């Protein structure tokens, strides 16, 4: 199923590039990833192929980018129609191939890549005609996260890993330079949050970039086998301290603001959320977070003065990348949360320092070598398996990795 979705995304990407590269330039793939995120059918868990509607209100971001590049309204409408046709064709082809009932085996092969002092061990996973790769250390971490026994059921493990990698490759548009919508905060920030605010759970992560044992993610269908708690918007904790780094999409951020406020409004026990979002003063999601009665701290990290971990960290050698735009980091807490985890100037300063970009080129890799290793305190059982949270039935959009 997921190797078909990956192939479908490649086909749509070819049309997107043909239609937009002259206007959007060499970084067309970044716009494609944002468009995929906006158009994804968030009511269907695991559906990463974009909606095939000819006109969709979620195309606003792409339309603004094309208009800024000089495209007319008529030209943008033509582009939207062609993309819709490409999506419809890709969906139809994927459905037809999925119905033939064949179950391809996933083959794994180790290799080594890199040069100029940067080398990395990789694992290549091939299913049918699709080959995906990930760093060996991420592959080994997935072994520890998998709920099966990778030694006894190697074929099952490889199928599960391939599905996860294919799923997130599809969300990123399958381009090797993409991944901004799945970027994560640096490991030093997680360590600071754990030490000072007892954060040990992420609301927007994936098996490929989660720092803690506990995390929510976009696709329960592929991710539960590696410990995901499910969709962030179905996760309803009544106490605890959490990190939220959603994809930098206006609709997702707006929905997160409402979700967090609702949880805080009814929580009687200490509840706290550390939220990382782009500094978008004119977006309703950012304004709702910043002006919330539960917002106890709002700090701006200026461009180039902080870094994110690549959303494609599982396949890249370089990991940390300085942010090209300002970012807001906010704490939203109820009164009990304020008392238990007070946000002090010293705590904010520690977070700011932990976000700082690497000073040396080697640190782009070295600072993340332990990134996917769960914290020692996280080797215990789930804190959220009992009364601390409850699962809500129904659909809901997906939190994936963070944005950057």
């Amino acid at each position: 199923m997921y190797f078909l979705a990956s192939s479908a995304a490649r086909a749509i990407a070819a049309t997107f590039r043909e239609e937009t590269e002259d206007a959007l330039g060499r970084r067309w793939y970044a716009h494609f990833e944002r468009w995929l995120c906006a158009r994804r059918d968030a009511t269907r868990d695991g559906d990463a192929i974009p909606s095939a509607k000819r006109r969709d209100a979620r195309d606003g971001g792409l339309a603004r980018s094309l208009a800024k590049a000089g495209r007319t309204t008529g030209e943008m409408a033509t582009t939207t129609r062609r993309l819709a046709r490409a999506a419809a064709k890709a969906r139809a082809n994927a459905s037809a191939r999925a119905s033939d009932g064949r179950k391809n085996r996933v083959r794994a092969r180790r290799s080594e890549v890199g040069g100029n002092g940067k080398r990395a061990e990789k694992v290549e996973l091939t299913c049918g005609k699709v080959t995906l790769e990930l760093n060996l250390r991420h592959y080994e971490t997935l072994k520890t996260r998998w709920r099966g026994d990778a030694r006894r059921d190697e074929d099952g493990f490889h199928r599960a890993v391939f599905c996860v990698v294919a799923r997130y490759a599809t969300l990123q548009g399958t381009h090797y330079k993409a991944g901004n919508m799945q970027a994560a905060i640096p490991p030093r920030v997680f360590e600071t949050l754990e030490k000072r605010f007892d954060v040990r759970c992420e609301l927007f992560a994936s098996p490929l970039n989660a720092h803690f044992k506990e995390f929510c993610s976009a696709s329960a269908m592929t991710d539960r086998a590696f410990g995901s708690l499910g969709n962030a918007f179905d996760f309803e904790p009544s106490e605890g301290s959490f990190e939220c780094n959603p994809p930098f999409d206006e609709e997702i951020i707006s929905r997160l603001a409402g979700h967090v406020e609702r949880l805080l409004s009814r929580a009687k026990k200490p509840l706290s959320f550390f939220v990382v979002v782009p500094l978008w003063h004119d977006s309703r999601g950012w304004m709702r977070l910043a002006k919330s009665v539960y917002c106890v701290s709002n700090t701006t990290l200026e461009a180039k003065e902080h870094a994110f971990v690549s959303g494609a960290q599982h396949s890249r050698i370089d990991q940390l990348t300085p942010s090209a735009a300002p970012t807001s980091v906010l704490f939203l807490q109820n009164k009990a949360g304020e008392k238990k985890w007070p946000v002090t100037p010293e705590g904010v300063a520690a977070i700011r320092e932990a976000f700082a970009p690497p000073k040396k080129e080697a640190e782009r890799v070295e600072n993340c070598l332990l990134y996917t290793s769960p914290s020692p305190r996280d080797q215990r059982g789930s804190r959220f398996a009992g009364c601390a949270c409850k699962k809500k039935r129904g659909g809901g959009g997906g939190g994936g990795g963070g944005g950057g």
Side-chain angles (χ1 to χ4, degrees):
M1 173 182 175
Y2 291 98
F3 82 91
L4 295 177
S6 181
S7 297
R10 291 178 190 274
I12 301 170
T15 299
F16 189 96
R17 181 176 186 177
E18 180 181 346
E19 290 291 323
T20 67
E21 187 176 21
D22 63 330
L24 302 179
R26 290 182 298 176
R27 287 183 55 82
W28 62 269
Y29 55 84
H31 296 271
F32 181 53
E33 184 180 2
R34 286 195 290 271
W35 178 76
L36 283 176
C37 181
R39 270 242 177 178
R40 183 168 64 87
D41 188 349
T43 65
R44 297 176 62 185
D45 184 20
D47 189 354
I49 303 176
S51 162
K53 294 179 181 179
R54 288 192 174 187
R55 294 183 179 180
D56 197 310
R58 294 171 292 181
D59 289 340
L62 176 60
R64 287 191 292 272
S65 296
L66 291 174
K68 188 176 181 180
R71 288 284 182 89
T72 66
T73 301
E75 289 172 334
M76 289 187 289
T78 299
T79 295
T80 300
R81 286 196 300 270
R82 289 175 178 170
L83 289 174
R85 283 199 296 267
K89 183 177 180 181
R91 278 178 173 273
N93 288 343
S95 297
R97 293 174 65 187
S99 64
D100 66 12
R102 289 182 293 179
K103 190 174 185 179
N104 293 322
R105 181 185 178 188
V106 176
R107 302 184 301 279
R109 183 179 73 88
R110 293 194 182 188
S111 62
E112 189 173 292
V113 300
N116 298 324
K118 296 181 181 179
R119 302 196 67 82
E121 292 183 278
K122 301 276 188 177
V123 175
E124 292 182 352
L125 300 171
T126 301
C127 182
K129 296 181 179 180
V130 176
T131 296
L132 303 169
E133 68 174 26
L134 71 161
N135 294 325
L136 177 61
R137 61 190 178 87
H138 286 80
Y139 173 85
E140 295 296 340
T141 297
L142 288 175
K143 278 187 179 179
T144 67
R145 289 186 180 275
W146 195 46
R147 291 180 174 175
D149 188 332
R151 291 176 297 179
R152 294 184 178 182
D153 186 11
E154 189 174 69
D155 287 345
F157 171 67
H158 285 154
R159 283 196 300 271
V161 173
F162 184 90
C163 287
V164 167
V165 177
R167 160 73 171 165
Y168 287 96
T170 302
L171 288 177
Q172 294 175 9
T174 71
H175 195 282
Y176 74 99
K177 287 187 177 181
N180 282 349
M181 301 297 281
Q182 301 294 322
I185 64 176
R188 289 179 179 175
V189 180
F190 279 115
E191 292 164 3
T192 300
L193 292 174
E194 181 180 14
K195 179 180 179 180
R196 291 178 174 270
F197 303 100
D198 196 30
V199 174
R200 278 181 280 145
C201 182
E202 304 159 66
L203 264 62
F204 294 87
S206 79
L208 298 172
N209 70 9
H211 182 85
F212 297 120
K213 179 179 179 180
E214 307 287 356
F215 66 95
C216 296
S217 63
S219 178
M221 291 177 65
T222 59
D223 300 351
R224 280 198 189 279
F226 296 94
S228 172
L229 297 171
N231 190 292
F233 296 111
D234 290 340
F235 182 60
E236 300 195 340
S238 58
E239 65 176 323
S241 186
F242 304 89
E243 183 264 0
C244 306
N245 179 24
F248 284 8
D249 174 81
E250 187 171 338
E251 291 299 323
I252 293 177
I253 294 172
S254 181
R255 188 176 179 191
L256 169 64
H259 185 58
V260 166
E261 284 195 314
R262 183 171 58 83
L263 294 175
L264 288 167
S265 69
R266 67 189 193 188
K268 305 299 182 184
K269 297 180 180 180
L271 187 59
S272 174
F273 296 93
F274 174 75
V275 183
V276 181
V277 293
L279 183 60
W280 290 344
H281 287 122
D282 57 346
S283 74
R284 64 181 182 277
W286 184 90
M287 288 190 288
R288 186 167 182 178
L289 288 168
K291 296 181 179 180
S292 172
V293 295
Y294 300 104
C295 182
V296 298
S297 175
N298 181 1
T299 302
T300 298
L301 304 178
E302 297 297 341
K304 307 298 183 182
E305 294 182 2
H306 66 293
F308 286 95
V309 181
S310 168
Q313 60 164 283
H314 59 280
S315 60
R316 292 184 60 171
I317 297 177
D318 287 343
Q319 299 283 297
L320 286 168
T321 303
S323 178
T327 298
S328 291
V329 292
L330 311 94
F331 277 93
L332 281 78
Q333 301 174 322
N334 62 2
K335 292 298 182 182
E338 285 187 60
K339 184 176 181 179
K340 186 170 184 178
W341 304 293
V343 182
T344 63
E346 293 77 16
V348 172
I351 291 172
R352 185 186 293 277
E353 181 180 355
F355 258 111
K359 295 180 181 179
K360 299 179 181 179
E361 184 69 19
E363 291 179 353
R364 291 176 181 266
V365 178
E366 293 170 358
N367 284 355
C368 294
L369 286 179
L370 299 179
Y371 183 72
T372 55
S373 300
S375 164
R377 291 175 63 186
D378 270 341
Q379 301 303 323
R380 298 172 292 184
S382 170
R383 292 191 299 160
F384 308 110
C387 62
C389 80
K390 63 180 180 181
K391 279 286 294 171
K392 179 178 63 177
R393 292 184 179 181

